Every structure is written in C-alpha cells, then in structure tokens.
Amino acid sequence: MARFTLPRDLYHGKGALEALKSFTGKKAVICVGGGSMKRFGFLDRAIDYLKEAGMEVEVIDGIEPDPSVETVMNGAEKMLAFEPDWIVAMGGGSPIDAAKAMWIKYEYPECTFEDMCKVFGIPTLRKKAKFCAISSTSGTATEVTAFSIITDYSKGIKYPIADFEITPDVAIVDPDLAQTMPQKLVAHTGMDAMTHAVEAYVSTANCDFTDPLAIHAIEMIMNDLVPSYNGDKDARDRMHNAQCLAGMAFSNALLGIVHSMAHKTGAAFADYGAHIIHGAANAMYLPKVVAFNAKDETAKKRYGVIVDYMGIADKSASDADKVAALIAYLRKMNDDLNIPHCIKNYGPDSYPTETGFVPEEVFLERLPEIAKNAIGDACTGSNPRIPTQEEMEKLFKCCYYDTEVDF
C-alpha cells in the first residue's frame, strides 16, 4: 500500500495571500527570513489579514538561509511562550523548513533534533497548531511537501526531516511573491524544481498519481525557466505553479541521490568560504546522476519517456540516445542560467557572494566521509540505482572535475 498526501487546501493565483482572512483561531505566529517579505510589504499584508481574521499575531524573523538546529530550537521556544494555534511560514524554503521543524518541537517539547530526523517517525501533530506555508521562491515547493531540510553546522551536514505529518494544512501559491526574486535565485530555485520533477519520475516510489505531476512540471520548467531568468514576468508566474507541481510529485514519489549529494556537500566546505547553494548543487549533479542511473534499464526507459515529452530527440531514437539528449539539454540549461558545471569551478568567479573555492586536496580528503553520509541520506533509498561507497566516491569526483560517468 502506498500513500499520496497533499495540503488540505491550496490557494493559488494572484492575490491568493488574501486567503489568510478566512483563517479561524486566536493566535498566529509568522515565520519569515531575512527581510524581502518586509521590504516588499507582504509581511505587513499577512499580519493585517490575520488580524482581520481576529487573531493576535507575533513574528519570528531573521531565519537564515539553510536554517540551523539552533534557529529551530530558539523559534520553538518562542512558540511555546506565545502558544499559537496557527503557524504561518512565508518566504523561501528556509523559513518554511525551519518553521516545520519548530512546529514539531512546539507540539512535542521533549523531541530532540535526532528524533526529528527519524524518517517517517514523527508523532501526530496538530494537537496545538495548524500550519500554513506561503512560498516566495519557485523551487523548493516545501509549501506542499512532507520534507524539511535543517543544517547541523557543527557537523557540516544538512539533514532532511521526512514525514507526512509536516505536510502543511494550507499552501498559498501567490505568484506576486515570486516576482521579487533576484535573477540568481530564479536560476537556483528553478533547477531545484527541475531536479525534483526528474528525480520523482524515475524514483522507485513513483506511481500513477505522481507521474503526471512530474511530467507536466518538467514541460513547464523547460518552457518557462530560462525566460523567467531573463525577466519574463508571465513565465515567472507560470514557474511558481510548475515548482509546486514538482513538489507535489516528489513529496509522494520521493527523490534520489542528486539530493543526497547536495545535502551532504552544501555545508561541507563552509570553513573554506564555499557554501554550495542547494539549487546550484542540484544543477551541477543532475546530469552526472542521470548518466549513473541510466545504467539501470528501468530508469533509462523512464528518462526516455521524459525526453519524448520534452521533444528534444526523435521518438524513434534509442533510449541511450535519449539519455544523452537529456544530459546535453540539462547542461545547456545550466549554461543559459550561468551555473557552473562542477564543484571545481564553483566559487567567487561565478558566485561573487562566495569567499572561496573548494580546494582539490580538501575535497579528496573529505570525500570518503561525504560519500558515506550521502549514501546514508534519506533520499538515497528511492534512487533507481543504489551506489556503493566506491561508486559514490567516483560520482562525486565526476561532479568535482566534470568528467564522464562510465561506471
């Protein structure tokens, strides 16, 4: 028996933020990030709508990108003091992911972070509060998923929390919020969404309910991501829907080792000034993982189906040729979005906000542990091909040097 779970309500389209007026409760806490929701007036609108609904409102702000365990615990303490019956998280994936983890700790104060990380092991929520997620970026789709990513900086590892209990009760997908994204964020979140859809389609947990969502998301992203990156506002509106469809797919079909690898390298080199942004990591690793997974016959055929829908190769072509076309197309997307092809080239030259590159000797020294952690990631189990330690190390080397996957 399988399960398919989505939010109870999803409000979408321009002006959907106004749905907050219809909420019933006494107190709401709003969790936000670094300030864009304030600068563009969306936070004030959300507060006003909730107050119009008759609620007292408190704000937890300043949630950092790739939120830490400490941020989660501090936020949960504030919730325990305020006692909200609605948790509203708005912004990119980081404040929503952090709020999901805070929600667990708020409902179960004795719960440790290690307890949260037990895959599909979270106790029943909603005894104290319901959860609403409002996305401002077009990639993570955490507004509709059963996942949260929290970083333990003491270990340099991102940990996925996975349980249908943390699927939001309400998702608000208002494209007005996505119009505020800077260009580089459009690229990163867009390739995160593409990775979600591709991995969901070839996942061993795919099903008739997830396949149409994944395929349609891929078609939309193919048509709209690069135009959105180049400033097309209508394309950016459509991308906000596309990433949500991809999220619906992967929340139920699960993911694969692109995400396992991204989770375990994102903060692994922070001490060298190289914080590998999640979407950029996915973009760099996806073509290599497609090549690796295509050694599995079932995965190769499903990649071929993706290519048929994309129309980037003749339908009569062999599955191997279709896989090659998909890899070439994904690499071209990275070029169009100014995303480097490998870890070696990731740094200040392409990302001025970074302060350093990943030194080759440091990468090789840490590789065995990173590979081990990636294999143990929650996303690995649904990948169509489970790598050995040796294969994972080889795959990471291909992603570092941008060499061919031939194993």
Side-chain angles (χ1 to χ4, degrees):
M1 181 176 69
R3 178 175 173 179
F4 185 90
T5 300
L6 295 175
R8 170 68 177 79
D9 291 299
L10 189 152
Y11 298 94
H12 59 95
K14 289 182 176 296
L17 189 64
E18 195 170 340
L20 293 172
K21 289 182 182 180
S22 65
F23 287 18
T24 57
K26 295 180 179 178
K27 293 182 178 182
V29 64
I30 301 180
C31 300
V32 293
S36 65
M37 292 298 94
K38 290 182 184 178
R39 288 195 306 275
F40 295 105
F42 293 112
L43 176 59
D44 285 342
R45 284 170 56 188
I47 292 170
D48 290 343
Y49 289 147
L50 290 168
K51 287 183 175 179
E52 190 173 335
M55 284 190 250
E56 182 183 350
V57 182
E58 185 169 294
V59 175
I60 297 175
D61 58 6
I63 296 172
E64 75 275 28
D66 299 316
S68 66
V69 177
E70 291 74 21
T71 292
V72 168
M73 298 306 169
N74 291 336
E77 286 296 321
K78 293 177 182 177
M79 290 183 186
L80 285 164
F82 183 61
E83 298 184 335
D85 40 26
W86 272 102
I87 298 169
V88 177
M90 66 187 304
S94 295
I96 298 174
D97 280 2
K100 286 180 176 180
M102 293 173 192
W103 184 24
I104 301 167
K105 185 72 174 176
Y106 169 53
E107 299 240 358
Y108 293 93
E110 72 283 0
C111 185
T112 65
F113 181 65
E114 289 71 25
D115 292 333
M116 295 181 194
C117 293
K118 294 174 184 175
V119 178
F120 293 98
I122 293 170
T124 302
L125 298 179
R126 296 164 182 83
K127 295 180 183 296
K128 293 181 180 180
K130 291 182 179 180
F131 193 99
C132 171
I134 307 166
S135 56
S136 67
T137 60
S138 300
T140 69
T142 190
E143 73 273 8
V144 294
T145 74
F147 295 90
S148 165
I149 307 299
I150 305 299
T151 303
D152 184 337
Y153 285 96
S154 67
K155 298 178 180 177
I157 296 175
K158 293 183 178 182
Y159 288 95
I161 300 172
D163 199 291
F164 287 119
E165 283 296 320
I166 61 171
T167 304
D169 297 283
V170 177
I172 295 177
V173 184
D174 187 332
D176 287 341
L177 278 69
Q179 293 293 343
T180 66
M181 287 191 294
Q183 189 180 42
K184 190 164 289 185
L185 188 58
V186 171
H188 295 159
T189 56
M191 287 307 293
D192 192 17
M194 177 63 96
T195 305
H196 290 158
V198 171
E199 288 207 295
Y201 193 76
V202 301
S203 160
T204 58
N206 74 76
C207 69
D208 291 341
F209 300 96
T210 60
D211 283 353
L213 295 165
I215 287 293
H216 189 46
I218 290 168
E219 291 177 312
M220 292 181 72
I221 295 165
M222 175 187 179
N223 290 329
D224 291 322
L225 175 52
V226 173
S228 173
Y229 177 77
N230 290 326
D232 184 324
K233 291 187 176 182
D234 291 335
R236 189 163 300 184
D237 286 353
R238 291 190 293 270
M239 270 300 302
H240 210 45
N241 287 345
Q243 64 86 29
C244 188
L245 293 171
M248 293 178 183
F250 91 77
S251 186
N252 292 279
L254 308 179
L255 291 165
I257 59 172
V258 178
H259 275 76
S260 302
M261 296 166 72
H263 292 156
K264 300 323 182 203
T265 51
F269 307 102
D271 53 334
Y272 281 85
H275 178 271
I276 304 177
I277 298 166
H278 180 71
N282 283 339
M284 291 189 292
Y285 305 163
L286 180 58
K288 305 301 183 187
V289 171
V290 168
F292 175 80
N293 284 343
K295 300 295 192 295
D296 174 90
E297 285 300 315
T298 300
K300 181 166 68 174
K301 289 183 182 301
R302 290 185 73 81
Y303 286 133
V305 173
I306 289 173
V307 170
D308 287 343
Y309 276 100
M310 294 174 76
I312 56 175
D314 194 289
K315 286 195 174 183
S316 64
S318 68
D319 287 328
D321 286 343
K322 289 177 182 178
V323 168
L326 178 59
I327 291 170
Y329 188 88
L330 293 170
R331 288 177 65 87
K332 176 64 164 54
M333 284 192 82
N334 287 345
D335 288 337
D336 291 342
L337 299 168
N338 294 303
I339 296 174
H341 289 295
C342 61
I343 300 171
K344 185 178 181 182
N345 294 337
Y346 184 95
D349 290 350
S350 51
Y351 291 93
T353 55
E354 299 297 322
T355 56
F357 290 93
V358 179
E360 181 178 20
E361 64 276 12
V362 175
F363 169 78
L364 293 173
E365 177 188 347
R366 298 181 183 181
L367 177 58
E369 186 67 16
I370 291 171
K372 176 185 172 184
N373 290 333
I375 292 170
D377 188 88
C379 294
T380 299
S382 48
N383 195 69
R385 186 180 172 199
I386 304 299
T388 64
Q389 175 74 20
E390 180 183 5
E391 288 170 337
M392 184 61 89
E393 290 186 24
K394 285 184 178 179
L395 191 54
F396 267 121
K397 285 181 179 179
C398 291
C399 292
Y400 184 85
Y401 298 107
D402 191 21
T403 50
E404 295 296 319
V405 176
D406 58 359
F407 52 91

